Amino acid sequence: MIGLSLKHLRYFDALARSGHFGRAAESCAISQPALSLQIKDLEGLVGAPLVERGGRQIRLTPLGEELAQRTGAILRSIDELADLGRSAQANLTGRVRLGVIPTAAPYLLPGVMKALTELYPTLDLRPREAVTQRLIEELSDAKLDAAIVALPVSEPTLREVPLFEEEFLLVRPVGDRDKPPPAIERLHEMRLLLLQEGHCFRDQALSVCKIEGALPRDLIEGSSLSTLVQMVGAGIGVTLIPQMAIGAEAHAPTVHVTRLAEPRPTRTIGMIWRKTNPLSEQFSKIAEVVREVGVNRKAGIERLNIPGSGG
């Protein structure tokens, strides 16, 4: 198609994803009139409308929907072509956009970034914290290169590399410290504090507590692990947190951390990236660094001798 450019495709892709001229223009760092002009130019090249204009949100025409799918695939392929040269280099270099789930980012990222900077000084690591589903979407859209998540994610286009396992630990008010840890099947009877919807750790905690279907009426939600632990300290309820978060979140004198009865619930932390990405070998090197940082942090926490049932 004569006159079609990558600029047309990137601008149209941004509009199709955001559904809004203003947000699309902002993401492309251009003015809204300039973006609108480019879309009209693209419509002239294809010979038919791609967007239904009117109201705050735009809608794609049937042709626009089909073009959006093809455009996404084209742009992903172009981004991966740009990585081919880097894949031939022995050392890690250049920009790597690394996503991390919120229940791992504060505890892993500082050590991971320090270790990678020392090992690969020319690596430009760009971390991004987001919930699992958003990270998967951004990986699929080539907006991220790799991500640290809880496995499995079961996406056929993504490679999953398990790195280490960690326990779920119970945080309860300090006044309960002399009580034996409750059996797992009793957790659903307690006032449970959980992360808000969208966090994979919330779903894992519900699974550990064997809560399915309708949620308990007295279930309370928080936006972060820190918020949940503070609510526990105020005597509002109990919560589960991942082992790696203990040193940062559960040091207050108002809370008590304990292990649950065996078999103790765990989660697997791993890295994921697109199977088609030519930098797979380089991402494997990053994964090894993440593994080492995670295992060392886990060993340090285990030396705290957290009490528990069954050992």
Side-chain angles (χ1 to χ4, degrees):
M1 186 182 297
I2 298 174
L4 181 65
S5 68
L6 274 177
K7 183 185 292 184
H8 285 121
L9 296 182
R10 293 198 185 279
Y11 289 173
F12 178 66
D13 181 66
L15 181 62
R17 294 186 188 287
S18 67
H20 189 277
F21 273 97
R23 288 195 292 271
E26 185 179 354
S27 70
C28 295
I30 62 171
S31 68
Q32 184 170 330
L35 177 73
S36 181
L37 187 63
Q38 290 290 326
I39 300 302
K40 285 183 179 179
D41 192 29
L42 178 60
E43 290 176 322
L45 289 171
V46 300
L50 300 172
V51 178
E52 295 179 19
R53 294 166 174 83
R56 294 186 176 180
Q57 295 290 118
I58 62 98
R59 291 185 180 181
L60 299 181
T61 64
L63 177 61
E65 293 280 2
E66 183 173 350
L67 183 62
Q69 293 181 9
R70 292 174 182 264
T71 296
I74 290 169
L75 294 176
R76 284 193 295 273
S77 296
I78 289 172
D79 288 339
E80 289 176 356
L81 276 175
D83 288 332
L84 277 175
R86 292 170 60 198
S87 69
Q89 299 177 16
N91 288 326
L92 272 167
T93 187
R95 185 184 67 176
V96 172
R97 300 161 298 178
L98 180 66
V100 193
I101 53 174
T103 54
Y107 323 112
L108 276 182
L109 263 182
V112 168
M113 293 189 71
K114 182 176 184 293
L116 286 173
T117 299
E118 291 173 352
L119 286 170
Y120 308 105
T122 57
L123 180 67
D124 179 16
L125 191 64
R126 303 287 183 89
R128 159 127 168 83
E129 183 177 330
V131 297
T132 302
Q133 189 55 44
R134 176 63 62 84
L135 295 179
I136 290 173
E137 291 170 1
E138 294 188 2
L139 274 172
S140 299
D141 294 340
K143 293 180 179 178
L144 285 175
D145 298 306
I148 300 171
V149 297
L151 300 180
V153 296
S154 303
E155 286 286 333
T157 61
L158 300 178
R159 181 183 176 190
E160 299 184 11
V161 178
L163 300 179
F164 60 91
E165 285 195 353
E166 61 171 349
E167 289 183 40
F168 288 59
L169 300 175
L170 180 68
V171 183
R172 52 186 180 170
V174 70
D176 293 343
R177 68 180 306 149
D178 293 328
K179 297 179 182 178
I184 291 176
E185 55 270 20
R186 282 202 56 235
L187 289 178
H188 73 278
E189 302 170 5
M190 309 174 77
R191 176 173 284 182
L192 192 61
L193 311 179
L194 293 178
L195 290 172
Q196 295 169 340
E197 248 182 283
H199 290 269
C200 62
F201 191 76
R202 168 197 174 94
D203 299 329
Q204 294 158 357
L206 288 171
S207 176
V208 166
C209 299
K210 305 187 186 305
I211 297 175
E212 299 177 358
L215 298 178
R217 285 186 177 182
D218 57 353
L219 184 145
I220 299 175
E221 298 177 332
S223 59
S224 67
L225 293 177
S226 178
T227 299
L228 297 181
V229 172
Q230 289 180 49
M231 288 196 289
V232 171
I236 295 173
V238 301
T239 194
L240 295 171
I241 66 173
Q243 188 175 2
M244 72 171 77
I246 289 300
E249 307 295 358
H251 51 75
T254 54
V255 299
H256 178 251
V257 180
T258 185
R259 285 188 162 92
L260 293 164
E262 294 189 16
R264 292 170 179 154
T266 62
R267 70 172 181 175
T268 301
I269 296 295
M271 263 184 63
I272 56 175
W273 58 84
R274 294 184 306 281
K275 291 178 178 178
T276 57
N277 196 312
L279 293 175
S280 183
E281 185 176 342
Q282 283 81 348
F283 296 155
S284 294
K285 294 179 181 178
I286 293 177
E288 284 304 313
V289 173
V290 176
R291 185 200 310 274
E292 183 176 355
V293 171
V295 169
N296 287 343
R297 184 176 181 88
K298 179 180 173 183
I301 290 171
E302 286 175 346
R303 286 195 291 270
L304 297 176
N305 194 27
I306 297 169
S309 175

